[in-house]
Each structure stands twice: as C-alpha cells, then as structure tokens.
Amino acid sequence: MDSSIPRDTSFTNLLEDSYDEYMSGSSRISEDSVPQAQAFSQMSPPQVESTAKKLQRGSNFTIQEDVLLVSAFLNVNQDAVQSTKQKRTTYWSRIWEYYHQWKTFTSEYTVSSLTNRWSTTQLCTNKFCGCLAQIESKNESGKTNEDKLNAAKELYQVL
C-alpha cells in the first residue's frame, strides 16, 4: 500500500473535496487553461460511441409503494369492463395511472420500473406460495393455519 496516500482517503472524499474547492473558488482550473470560443469552433466534434444517456438506478421501493402496486394490479386486473382484451402496454399504463392517482407519497416511477418491480414481487410471491403448498401437502394433524404460515416462512427463508 502506498504510504503517501492518507488512510482516510476514499473516492467519496475526493469527490467532496473537489466540489468544495470548486464552490470556494480555489479550483485548480484557471481561466487561462480554458480554451476560448474560437478554438472550439475550429475543433472537430469528438467521436461519441453512444448518444443514449445511461439512466441511474433509483431508490428501492418502500413497503407502502409495494402495497399500492399490488392494489393497482388487483384493481386493474379485476376490471370486468376492460377484461383481457387489451395490449400489454395499455394494461401497464392503466396500472401506472391507478398507482399515481392513489399514491399519498412522493414517487415518480415509470411504467417500466413498476413492471420490473411487479415481476420481482411476483417471483417472490410464487416462491412463497410453493413453500406454503409444500407445507400444506404434508397434511400434519393439529397444525393451525398460523402454524402452517410460520413453517412456510421458515422454508422460504431457507430456500
């Protein structure tokens, strides 16, 4: 390990230090080192591999957001008027509209993020249902539904 680097140095400290220097005006960039507008007009544009901006991952869903997503899914899914004769995009747009209509918290999730979260929720739900079915198939006498649920939770955590 290089002894010239202080032990408390990290990438976040470097970023914060650079930002503080920039805000205080003690940045190492001087006006003389910045090319003037004429120099830019004579330069050729840089070669860019991709013009698409990479999106950063948002924050995790909260329990309240998950509950609202499940509620939106169930309410849109059980709508007898729309039935099953709708495209996937229309279906998820309706879930997104319901979600944003009834939210009581701040969130700006897109249709895509709700779809991805639902797939994660559905996978976990299916796994738990499989655990519960396995416990119920044992048909143990004297076990209450609460006992079976607790056993399914334990099995879920093991898998």
Side-chain angles (χ1 to χ4, degrees), residues 5 15 19 37 45 63 72 86 96 105 114 128 131 140 142 144 159:
I5 299 174
L15 291 173
Y19 178 75
I63 293 173
Q86 55 188 330
W96 180 86
F105 43 83
L114 292 178
F128 180 76
C131 293
E140 296 175 309
T144 63
L159 295 179

Side-chain angles (χ1 to χ4, degrees), residues 32 35 41 52 64 69 75 83 107 117 126-127 131 147 150:
D32 297 334
S41 64
Q64 189 180 17
L69 178 59
N75 281 292
S83 186
S107 77
R117 181 60 178 182
N126 290 343
K127 180 180 170 184
C131 293
D147 293 337
N150 290 333

Side-chain angles (χ1 to χ4, degrees), residues 54-111:
K54 287 187 178 182
L55 297 176
Q56 292 183 355
R57 186 175 185 269
S59 61
N60 293 338
F61 277 72
T62 63
I63 293 173
Q64 189 180 17
E65 291 168 332
D66 283 338
V67 168
L68 182 59
L69 178 59
V70 170
S71 175
F73 178 83
L74 291 174
N75 281 292
V76 170
N77 200 31
Q78 295 175 355
D79 186 2
V81 174
Q82 293 295 327
S83 186
T84 58
K85 307 251 188 237
Q86 55 188 330
K87 294 184 178 181
R88 179 181 188 268
T89 54
T90 306
Y91 178 71
W92 279 101
S93 294
R94 291 183 62 225
I95 290 175
W96 180 86
E97 288 171 6
Y98 183 95
Y99 182 88
H100 285 284
Q101 177 185 358
W102 292 101
K103 69 180 180 177
T104 58
F105 43 83
T106 305
S107 77
E108 294 301 323
Y109 290 115
T110 63
V111 173

Side-chain angles (χ1 to χ4, degrees), residues 34-57:
V34 178
Q36 298 300 319
Q38 289 177 337
F40 278 117
S41 64
Q42 295 169 356
M43 295 172 60
S44 63
Q47 298 297 324
V48 179
E49 290 181 22
S50 174
T51 58
K53 180 181 176 185
K54 287 187 178 182
L55 297 176
Q56 292 183 355
R57 186 175 185 269

